[in-house]
Coordinates of all heavy atoms in Angstrom, one line a residue:
M1 N -2.2 26.8 -18.5 CA -2.9 26.3 -17.3 C -2.8 24.8 -17.3 O -1.9 24.2 -18.1 CB -4.3 26.7 -17.3 CG -4.9 26.9 -15.9 SD -6.6 27.5 -15.9 CE -7.5 26.2 -16.6
A2 N -3.6 24.1 -16.6 CA -3.6 22.6 -16.7 C -4.6 22.2 -15.6 O -4.9 23.0 -14.7 CB -2.3 22.0 -16.3
Y3 N -5.2 21.0 -15.7 CA -6.1 20.5 -14.7 C -5.3 19.7 -13.7 O -4.2 19.3 -14.0 CB -7.2 19.8 -15.3 CG -8.3 20.7 -15.8 CD1 -8.0 21.6 -16.8 CD2 -9.6 20.7 -15.3 CE1 -9.0 22.5 -17.3 CE2 -10.6 21.5 -15.8 CZ -10.3 22.4 -16.8 OH -11.2 23.3 -17.2
V4 N -5.8 19.6 -12.5 CA -5.1 19.0 -11.4 C -6.0 17.9 -10.7 O -7.1 18.2 -10.4 CB -4.7 20.1 -10.4 CG1 -4.0 19.4 -9.1 CG2 -3.8 21.1 -11.0
I5 N -5.4 16.8 -10.4 CA -6.1 15.7 -9.7 C -5.7 15.7 -8.2 O -4.5 15.8 -8.0 CB -6.0 14.3 -10.3 CG1 -6.5 14.3 -11.7 CG2 -6.6 13.3 -9.5 CD1 -6.3 13.0 -12.5
T6 N -6.6 15.7 -7.3 CA -6.3 15.8 -5.9 C -6.4 14.4 -5.3 O -6.9 13.4 -5.9 CB -7.3 16.7 -5.2 OG1 -8.6 16.2 -5.3 CG2 -7.2 18.1 -5.8
E7 N -6.1 14.3 -4.0 CA -6.1 13.0 -3.2 C -7.4 12.4 -3.1 O -7.5 11.2 -2.7 CB -5.5 13.3 -1.9 CG -6.4 14.2 -1.0 CD -5.6 14.7 0.2 OE1 -4.4 15.0 0.1 OE2 -6.3 14.9 1.3
Q8 N -8.5 13.0 -3.5 CA -9.8 12.4 -3.4 C -10.0 11.3 -4.5 O -11.0 10.6 -4.6 CB -11.0 13.4 -3.6 CG -11.0 14.4 -2.5 CD -11.4 15.8 -3.0 OE1 -10.7 16.4 -3.7 NE2 -12.6 16.2 -2.7
C9 N -9.1 11.3 -5.4 CA -9.1 10.4 -6.6 C -9.2 8.9 -6.1 O -8.5 8.5 -5.3 CB -7.9 10.6 -7.4 SG -7.7 9.4 -8.8
T10 N -10.2 8.2 -6.8 CA -10.4 6.8 -6.4 C -9.8 5.8 -7.5 O -10.0 4.6 -7.5 CB -11.9 6.5 -6.3 OG1 -12.5 6.8 -7.5 CG2 -12.5 7.3 -5.2
K11 N -9.1 6.4 -8.5 CA -8.5 5.6 -9.5 C -9.4 4.8 -10.4 O -9.1 3.7 -10.8 CB -7.4 4.7 -8.9 CG -6.3 5.5 -8.3 CD -5.4 4.6 -7.4 CE -4.6 3.6 -8.2 NZ -3.7 2.8 -7.3
D12 N -10.7 5.3 -10.6 CA -11.6 4.5 -11.4 C -11.5 4.8 -12.9 O -12.2 4.1 -13.7 CB -13.0 4.8 -10.9 CG -13.5 6.2 -11.1 OD1 -12.7 7.0 -11.7 OD2 -14.6 6.5 -10.7
E13 N -10.6 5.6 -13.2 CA -10.2 5.9 -14.7 C -11.3 6.5 -15.5 O -11.3 6.4 -16.7 CB -9.7 4.6 -15.3 CG -8.3 4.2 -14.8 CD -7.6 3.3 -15.8 OE1 -8.2 2.5 -16.4 OE2 -6.4 3.5 -15.9
K14 N -12.4 7.0 -14.9 CA -13.4 7.7 -15.7 C -12.8 8.8 -16.5 O -13.2 9.0 -17.7 CB -14.5 8.2 -14.8 CG -15.3 7.1 -14.0 CD -16.6 6.7 -14.8 CE -17.1 5.4 -14.3 NZ -17.6 5.4 -12.9
C15 N -11.9 9.5 -15.9 CA -11.3 10.7 -16.6 C -10.4 10.2 -17.7 O -10.3 10.8 -18.8 CB -10.5 11.5 -15.6 SG -9.3 10.6 -14.7
V16 N -9.7 9.1 -17.5 CA -8.8 8.5 -18.5 C -9.5 8.2 -19.8 O -9.1 8.4 -20.9 CB -8.1 7.3 -17.9 CG1 -7.3 6.6 -19.0 CG2 -7.2 7.6 -16.8
E17 N -10.8 7.7 -19.6 CA -11.6 7.3 -20.7 C -12.0 8.5 -21.6 O -12.2 8.3 -22.8 CB -12.9 6.6 -20.2 CG -12.6 5.2 -19.7 CD -13.7 4.7 -18.8 OE1 -14.9 5.2 -18.9 OE2 -13.5 3.7 -18.0
V18 N -12.1 9.7 -21.0 CA -12.6 10.8 -21.8 C -11.5 11.8 -22.2 O -11.7 12.7 -23.0 CB -13.7 11.6 -21.1 CG1 -14.9 10.7 -20.8 CG2 -13.2 12.2 -19.8
C19 N -10.3 11.7 -21.6 CA -9.2 12.6 -22.0 C -8.8 12.4 -23.4 O -8.3 11.4 -23.8 CB -8.0 12.4 -21.0 SG -6.7 13.6 -21.4
P20 N -8.9 13.5 -24.2 CA -8.6 13.4 -25.6 C -7.1 13.3 -26.0 O -6.7 12.9 -27.1 CB -9.2 14.6 -26.2 CG -9.2 15.6 -25.1 CD -9.4 14.8 -23.9
V21 N -6.3 13.6 -25.0 CA -4.8 13.6 -25.3 C -4.0 12.6 -24.4 O -2.8 12.6 -24.4 CB -4.2 15.0 -25.2 CG1 -4.8 15.9 -26.3 CG2 -4.5 15.6 -23.8
D22 N -4.8 11.7 -23.7 CA -4.1 10.7 -22.9 C -3.0 11.3 -22.0 O -1.9 10.8 -21.9 CB -3.5 9.6 -23.9 CG -3.0 8.4 -23.1 OD1 -3.5 8.1 -22.0 OD2 -2.0 7.8 -23.6
C23 N -3.4 12.3 -21.3 CA -2.4 13.0 -20.4 C -2.7 12.7 -18.9 O -2.2 13.4 -18.0 CB -2.4 14.5 -20.6 SG -3.8 15.4 -20.1
I24 N -3.5 11.6 -18.6 CA -3.8 11.3 -17.2 C -3.2 9.9 -17.0 O -3.5 8.9 -17.7 CB -5.3 11.3 -16.9 CG1 -5.9 12.6 -17.2 CG2 -5.5 10.9 -15.5 CD1 -7.4 12.7 -17.1
H25 N -2.3 9.8 -16.0 CA -1.6 8.6 -15.7 C -1.4 8.4 -14.2 O -1.5 9.4 -13.5 CB -0.2 8.6 -16.5 CG -0.4 8.7 -17.9 ND1 -0.4 7.5 -18.8 CD2 -0.5 9.7 -18.8 CE1 -0.6 7.9 -20.0 NE2 -0.6 9.3 -20.0
P26 N -0.9 7.2 -13.7 CA -0.8 6.0 -14.5 C -2.1 5.4 -14.8 O -3.0 5.4 -14.0 CB 0.1 5.1 -13.6 CG -0.3 5.6 -12.2 CD -0.5 7.1 -12.3
R27 N -2.2 4.7 -16.0 CA -3.3 3.9 -16.4 C -3.2 2.5 -15.8 O -2.1 2.1 -15.4 CB -3.5 3.8 -17.9 CG -3.8 5.2 -18.6 CD -4.1 4.9 -20.1 NE -3.2 3.9 -20.6 CZ -2.3 4.1 -21.5 NH1 -2.1 5.4 -22.0 NH2 -1.5 3.2 -21.9
K28 N -4.3 1.8 -15.7 CA -4.3 0.5 -15.1 C -3.2 -0.4 -15.8 O -2.7 -1.3 -15.2 CB -5.7 -0.2 -15.3 CG -6.6 0.2 -14.2 CD -7.8 -0.8 -14.2 CE -8.9 -0.4 -13.3 NZ -9.7 0.7 -13.8
D29 N -3.0 -0.2 -17.1 CA -2.1 -1.1 -17.8 C -0.6 -0.6 -17.7 O 0.3 -1.1 -18.4 CB -2.5 -1.2 -19.3 CG -2.5 0.2 -20.0 OD1 -2.2 1.2 -19.4 OD2 -2.8 0.2 -21.2
E30 N -0.4 0.3 -16.8 CA 1.0 0.8 -16.6 C 1.5 0.3 -15.2 O 0.8 0.2 -14.3 CB 1.0 2.4 -16.7 CG 0.7 2.9 -18.1 CD 0.5 4.4 -18.2 OE1 0.2 5.0 -17.1 OE2 0.7 4.9 -19.2
E31 N 2.8 0.1 -15.2 CA 3.4 -0.5 -14.0 C 3.2 0.3 -12.7 O 3.0 -0.3 -11.7 CB 4.9 -0.5 -14.3 CG 5.7 -1.6 -13.6 CD 7.1 -1.6 -14.0 OE1 7.4 -1.7 -15.2 OE2 8.0 -1.5 -13.1
K32 N 3.2 1.6 -12.8 CA 3.1 2.4 -11.6 C 1.7 2.5 -11.0 O 1.5 3.0 -9.9 CB 3.6 3.8 -11.8 CG 5.1 3.9 -11.9 CD 5.5 5.4 -12.0 CE 7.0 5.5 -12.1 NZ 7.4 6.9 -12.5
F33 N 0.7 1.9 -11.7 CA -0.7 2.1 -11.2 C -0.9 1.5 -9.8 O -1.5 2.2 -9.0 CB -1.6 1.3 -12.2 CG -3.1 1.6 -11.9 CD1 -3.8 2.7 -12.3 CD2 -3.8 0.7 -11.1 CE1 -5.1 2.9 -12.0 CE2 -5.2 0.9 -10.8 CZ -5.8 2.0 -11.2
A34 N -0.3 0.4 -9.5 CA -0.5 -0.3 -8.2 C 0.1 0.5 -7.1 O -0.4 0.5 -6.0 CB 0.0 -1.7 -8.2
E35 N 1.2 1.2 -7.4 CA 1.9 1.9 -6.3 C 1.5 3.4 -6.1 O 2.0 4.0 -5.2 CB 3.4 1.8 -6.5 CG 3.9 2.5 -7.7 CD 5.3 2.1 -8.1 OE1 5.6 0.9 -8.3 OE2 6.2 3.0 -8.3
T36 N 0.7 3.9 -6.9 CA 0.3 5.3 -6.7 C -1.1 5.4 -6.1 O -2.0 4.6 -6.4 CB 0.3 6.1 -8.0 OG1 -0.6 5.4 -9.0 CG2 1.7 6.3 -8.6
A37 N -1.3 6.3 -5.2 CA -2.6 6.4 -4.5 C -3.6 7.1 -5.3 O -4.8 7.1 -5.0 CB -2.4 7.2 -3.2
Q38 N -3.2 7.8 -6.4 CA -4.1 8.6 -7.2 C -3.6 8.7 -8.6 O -2.4 8.4 -8.8 CB -4.4 10.0 -6.6 CG -3.1 10.8 -6.6 CD -3.3 12.3 -6.4 OE1 -3.3 12.7 -5.2 NE2 -3.5 13.1 -7.4
L39 N -4.4 9.3 -9.5 CA -3.9 9.5 -10.9 C -3.4 11.0 -10.9 O -3.8 11.8 -10.1 CB -4.9 9.2 -11.9 CG -5.6 7.9 -11.9 CD1 -6.4 7.6 -13.1 CD2 -4.6 6.8 -11.7
F40 N -2.6 11.3 -12.0 CA -2.1 12.6 -12.1 C -2.3 13.2 -13.6 O -2.2 12.4 -14.5 CB -0.6 12.6 -11.8 CG -0.3 12.1 -10.4 CD1 0.2 10.8 -10.3 CD2 -0.5 12.9 -9.3 CE1 0.5 10.3 -9.0 CE2 -0.2 12.4 -8.0 CZ 0.3 11.1 -7.9
V41 N -2.4 14.5 -13.7 CA -2.5 15.1 -15.0 C -1.1 15.6 -15.4 O -0.5 16.3 -14.6 CB -3.5 16.3 -15.0 CG1 -3.5 17.0 -16.3 CG2 -4.9 15.8 -14.6
D42 N -0.8 15.3 -16.6 CA 0.5 15.9 -17.2 C 0.2 17.3 -17.5 O -0.5 17.6 -18.5 CB 0.9 15.0 -18.4 CG 2.1 15.6 -19.1 OD1 2.6 16.7 -18.7 OD2 2.6 14.9 -20.0
P43 N 0.8 18.3 -16.8 CA 0.5 19.7 -17.0 C 1.0 20.2 -18.3 O 0.6 21.3 -18.8 CB 1.2 20.4 -15.8 CG 2.3 19.4 -15.4 CD 1.8 18.1 -15.7
V44 N 2.0 19.5 -18.9 CA 2.5 20.0 -20.2 C 1.6 19.6 -21.4 O 1.4 20.4 -22.3 CB 3.9 19.4 -20.5 CG1 4.4 19.7 -21.9 CG2 4.9 19.9 -19.4
N45 N 1.0 18.4 -21.3 CA 0.2 18.0 -22.4 C -1.3 18.2 -22.3 O -2.1 18.1 -23.2 CB 0.4 16.5 -22.6 CG 1.8 16.3 -23.2 OD1 2.3 17.0 -24.1 ND2 2.6 15.3 -22.6
C46 N -1.8 18.6 -21.1 CA -3.2 18.8 -20.8 C -3.6 20.0 -21.7 O -2.9 21.1 -21.7 CB -3.4 19.1 -19.4 SG -5.1 19.7 -19.0
I47 N -4.7 19.9 -22.4 CA -5.2 21.0 -23.3 C -6.3 21.8 -22.7 O -7.0 22.5 -23.4 CB -5.6 20.5 -24.7 CG1 -6.7 19.4 -24.6 CG2 -4.4 19.9 -25.4 CD1 -7.3 19.0 -25.9
D48 N -6.6 21.6 -21.4 CA -7.6 22.3 -20.7 C -9.0 22.2 -21.2 O -9.7 23.2 -21.2 CB -7.2 23.8 -20.6 CG -5.9 24.1 -19.9 OD1 -5.6 23.3 -19.0 OD2 -5.2 25.1 -20.2
C49 N -9.3 21.0 -21.7 CA -10.6 20.9 -22.3 C -11.7 20.7 -21.3 O -12.9 21.0 -21.6 CB -10.6 19.6 -23.2 SG -10.6 18.1 -22.3
G50 N -11.4 20.3 -20.1 CA -12.3 20.2 -19.0 C -13.2 19.0 -19.0 O -14.0 18.8 -18.2
A51 N -13.0 18.0 -19.9 CA -13.8 16.8 -20.1 C -13.7 15.9 -18.8 O -14.6 15.2 -18.5 CB -13.4 16.1 -21.3
C52 N -12.6 16.0 -18.1 CA -12.4 15.1 -17.0 C -13.2 15.5 -15.8 O -13.4 14.7 -14.9 CB -10.9 15.1 -16.6 SG -10.1 16.7 -16.5
V53 N -13.6 16.8 -15.7 CA -14.3 17.3 -14.5 C -15.7 16.7 -14.3 O -16.0 16.1 -13.2 CB -14.4 18.8 -14.5 CG1 -15.2 19.3 -13.3 CG2 -13.0 19.4 -14.5
P54 N -16.6 16.7 -15.3 CA -18.0 16.2 -15.0 C -18.0 14.7 -14.8 O -19.0 14.2 -14.2 CB -18.8 16.7 -16.3 CG -17.7 16.9 -17.3 CD -16.5 17.4 -16.6
V55 N -17.1 14.0 -15.4 CA -17.1 12.5 -15.2 C -16.6 12.0 -13.9 O -16.7 10.8 -13.5 CB -16.4 11.8 -16.4 CG1 -17.1 12.1 -17.7 CG2 -14.9 12.1 -16.4
C56 N -15.9 12.9 -13.2 CA -15.3 12.5 -11.9 C -16.3 12.5 -10.8 O -16.7 13.5 -10.3 CB -14.1 13.4 -11.6 SG -13.3 12.9 -10.1
E57 N -16.7 11.3 -10.4 CA -17.7 11.2 -9.3 C -17.1 11.6 -7.9 O -17.9 11.9 -7.0 CB -18.3 9.8 -9.3 CG -19.1 9.4 -10.5 CD -19.3 7.9 -10.7 OE1 -19.0 7.2 -9.8 OE2 -19.8 7.6 -11.8
A58 N -15.8 11.6 -7.8 CA -15.2 11.9 -6.5 C -14.9 13.5 -6.4 O -14.4 13.9 -5.4 CB -13.9 11.2 -6.4
S59 N -15.3 14.2 -7.5 CA -15.0 15.6 -7.5 C -13.5 15.9 -7.2 O -13.1 16.7 -6.4 CB -15.8 16.4 -6.5 OG -17.2 16.3 -6.9
A60 N -12.6 15.1 -7.8 CA -11.2 15.2 -7.5 C -10.4 16.0 -8.5 O -9.2 16.3 -8.3 CB -10.6 13.7 -7.5
V61 N -11.1 16.5 -9.6 CA -10.3 17.2 -10.6 C -10.7 18.7 -10.6 O -11.9 19.0 -10.5 CB -10.6 16.7 -12.0 CG1 -9.5 17.2 -13.0 CG2 -10.7 15.2 -12.1
F62 N -9.7 19.5 -10.7 CA -10.0 21.0 -10.6 C -9.1 21.7 -11.7 O -8.0 21.2 -12.0 CB -9.6 21.6 -9.3 CG -10.4 21.0 -8.1 CD1 -9.9 19.9 -7.4 CD2 -11.6 21.6 -7.7 CE1 -10.7 19.4 -6.4 CE2 -12.3 21.1 -6.7 CZ -11.8 20.0 -6.0
A63 N -9.6 22.8 -12.2 CA -8.8 23.6 -13.1 C -7.7 24.2 -12.1 O -8.0 24.4 -10.9 CB -9.6 24.7 -13.7
L64 N -6.6 24.5 -12.6 CA -5.5 25.0 -11.8 C -5.9 26.1 -10.9 O -5.6 26.1 -9.7 CB -4.3 25.4 -12.7 CG -3.0 25.9 -12.1 CD1 -2.4 24.8 -11.2 CD2 -2.0 26.4 -13.1
D65 N -6.6 27.1 -11.5 CA -6.9 28.3 -10.7 C -8.0 28.0 -9.6 O -8.3 28.8 -8.8 CB -7.4 29.4 -11.6 CG -6.3 29.9 -12.5 OD1 -5.2 29.7 -12.2 OD2 -6.6 30.6 -13.5
D66 N -8.7 26.8 -9.7 CA -9.8 26.5 -8.8 C -9.4 25.5 -7.8 O -10.3 25.0 -7.0 CB -11.0 26.0 -9.6 CG -11.5 27.0 -10.6 OD1 -11.3 28.2 -10.3 OD2 -12.1 26.6 -11.6
V67 N -8.2 25.1 -7.7 CA -7.8 24.1 -6.7 C -8.0 24.6 -5.3 O -7.4 25.7 -5.0 CB -6.3 23.6 -6.9 CG1 -5.9 22.6 -5.8 CG2 -6.0 23.1 -8.3
P68 N -8.8 23.9 -4.5 CA -9.1 24.4 -3.1 C -7.8 24.5 -2.3 O -6.9 23.7 -2.5 CB -10.0 23.4 -2.6 CG -10.6 22.7 -3.7 CD -9.6 22.7 -4.8
E69 N -7.8 25.5 -1.4 CA -6.6 25.7 -0.6 C -6.0 24.4 0.0 O -4.8 24.2 0.0 CB -7.0 26.7 0.5 CG -5.8 27.4 1.1 CD -4.9 28.2 0.1 OE1 -5.5 28.8 -0.8 OE2 -3.7 28.1 0.3
Q70 N -6.9 23.6 0.6 CA -6.3 22.4 1.2 C -5.7 21.4 0.3 O -5.1 20.4 0.7 CB -7.4 21.7 2.1 CG -8.6 21.0 1.3 CD -9.7 21.9 1.1 OE1 -9.6 23.1 0.9 NE2 -10.9 21.4 1.1
F71 N -5.9 21.5 -1.0 CA -5.4 20.6 -2.0 C -4.3 21.2 -2.8 O -3.8 20.6 -3.8 CB -6.5 20.0 -2.9 CG -7.5 19.3 -2.1 CD1 -8.9 19.6 -2.4 CD2 -7.2 18.3 -1.2 CE1 -9.9 18.9 -1.7 CE2 -8.2 17.6 -0.6 CZ -9.6 17.9 -0.8
K72 N -3.8 22.4 -2.5 CA -2.8 23.1 -3.3 C -1.5 22.2 -3.6 O -0.9 22.3 -4.6 CB -2.4 24.4 -2.6 CG -3.4 25.5 -2.7 CD -3.5 26.2 -4.0 CE -4.4 27.4 -3.8 NZ -5.1 27.8 -5.1
A73 N -1.2 21.4 -2.6 CA 0.0 20.5 -2.8 C -0.1 19.6 -4.0 O 0.9 19.2 -4.5 CB 0.3 19.7 -1.5
A74 N -1.3 19.3 -4.4 CA -1.6 18.4 -5.5 C -1.0 19.0 -6.8 O -0.7 18.3 -7.7 CB -3.1 18.2 -5.6
I75 N -0.9 20.3 -6.9 CA -0.4 21.0 -8.1 C 1.0 20.5 -8.4 O 1.3 20.0 -9.5 CB -0.5 22.5 -8.0 CG1 -1.9 23.0 -7.8 CG2 0.2 23.1 -9.2 CD1 -2.1 24.4 -7.5
E76 N 1.8 20.5 -7.4 CA 3.2 20.1 -7.5 C 3.3 18.6 -7.7 O 4.1 18.0 -8.5 CB 4.0 20.6 -6.3 CG 5.5 20.3 -6.3 CD 6.2 20.9 -7.5 OE1 5.7 21.9 -8.0 OE2 7.2 20.3 -8.0
K77 N 2.4 17.8 -7.0 CA 2.4 16.4 -7.0 C 2.1 15.9 -8.4 O 2.7 14.9 -8.9 CB 1.4 15.8 -6.1 CG 2.0 15.6 -4.7 CD 1.0 14.7 -3.9 CE 1.2 14.9 -2.4 NZ 0.1 14.4 -1.6
N78 N 1.1 16.5 -9.1 CA 0.8 16.1 -10.5 C 1.9 16.4 -11.4 O 2.3 15.5 -12.1 CB -0.5 16.9 -10.9 CG -1.8 16.3 -10.4 OD1 -2.6 15.9 -11.2 ND2 -2.0 16.3 -9.1
A79 N 2.6 17.5 -11.3 CA 3.7 17.9 -12.1 C 4.9 17.0 -11.9 O 5.6 16.5 -12.8 CB 4.1 19.3 -11.9
Q80 N 5.1 16.7 -10.6 CA 6.2 15.9 -10.2 C 6.2 14.4 -10.8 O 7.2 13.8 -11.1 CB 6.3 15.8 -8.6 CG 7.6 15.5 -8.0 CD 8.7 16.5 -8.5 OE1 8.4 17.7 -8.5 NE2 9.8 16.0 -8.9
Y81 N 5.0 13.9 -11.0 CA 4.9 12.6 -11.5 C 5.5 12.5 -12.9 O 5.9 11.4 -13.3 CB 3.4 12.2 -11.6 CG 3.2 10.8 -12.1 CD1 3.4 9.7 -11.3 CD2 2.8 10.6 -13.4 CE1 3.3 8.4 -11.8 CE2 2.6 9.3 -13.9 CZ 2.9 8.2 -13.1 OH 2.7 6.9 -13.6
Y82 N 5.5 13.6 -13.6 CA 6.0 13.6 -15.0 C 7.4 14.2 -15.1 O 7.9 14.4 -16.2 CB 5.0 14.4 -15.9 CG 3.6 13.8 -15.9 CD1 2.6 14.2 -15.1 CD2 3.4 12.7 -16.8 CE1 1.4 13.5 -15.0 CE2 2.1 12.1 -16.8 CZ 1.1 12.5 -15.9 OH -0.1 11.9 -15.9
A83 N 8.0 14.6 -14.0 CA 9.3 15.2 -14.0 C 10.4 14.2 -14.4 O 10.3 13.0 -14.2 CB 9.6 15.8 -12.7
Ligands
SF4_101 S1 -12.4 10.3 -12.7 FE1 -11.8 11.3 -10.7 S2 -11.7 9.6 -9.2 FE2 -11.7 8.7 -11.3 S3 -9.6 8.4 -11.8 FE3 -10.2 10.4 -12.6 S4 -9.7 11.9 -11.1 FE4 -9.7 9.9 -10.1
SF4_102 S1 -8.7 19.0 -19.0 FE1 -8.9 17.7 -20.9 S2 -6.8 17.3 -21.6 FE2 -6.7 18.1 -19.5 S3 -6.6 16.2 -18.2 FE3 -8.7 16.8 -18.4 S4 -9.6 15.7 -20.1 FE4 -7.3 15.6 -20.3

């Protein structure tokens, strides 16, 4: 599985601070941060710990199986960022 960030993301990096495997990017110190509208979870390295969900004030993170219908495109977008 993997967690997925949707377009509601405000890029405040609360999830980045708690992710134990640093699989949420781009971070502020990375070049692509300015040009991306949201952050993305690396589906290969995410260990499904769920730590990113409660800290997200925008409710932008979902477990893969719980991604709401209207945000399904985010699944591919998150993966695509790391392709
Ligand atoms: S905590 Fe939520 S709103 Fe903040 S960067 Fe992470 S996914 Fe985006
Ligand atoms: S579920 Fe855990 S490992 Fe996966 S993105 Fe969230 S904090 Fe990182």
Side-chain angles (χ1 to χ4, degrees):
M1 213 176 67
Y3 278 62
V4 176
I5 297 177
T6 64
E7 65 197 34
Q8 295 145 292
C9 174
T10 61
K11 296 168 68 178
D12 65 4
E13 290 203 323
K14 295 266 163 61
C15 55
V16 172
E17 289 163 18
V18 299
C19 180
V21 293
D22 190 27
C23 72
I24 301 172
H25 298 269
R27 293 190 318 250
K28 276 196 188 76
D29 59 1
E30 293 172 334
E31 206 176 306
K32 286 188 181 167
F33 186 83
E35 67 194 50
T36 54
Q38 64 165 90
L39 306 193
F40 304 102
V41 175
D42 178 350
V44 174
N45 292 315
C46 173
I47 58 169
D48 297 333
C49 71
C52 48
V53 176
V55 297
C56 181
E57 291 164 11
S59 298
V61 198
F62 299 91
L64 183 62
D65 293 342
D66 298 333
V67 178
E69 200 55 44
Q70 71 267 36
F71 298 130
K72 289 279 192 213
I75 297 171
E76 184 59 28
K77 274 191 196 162
N78 279 242
Q80 204 55 46
Y81 182 77
Y82 298 94

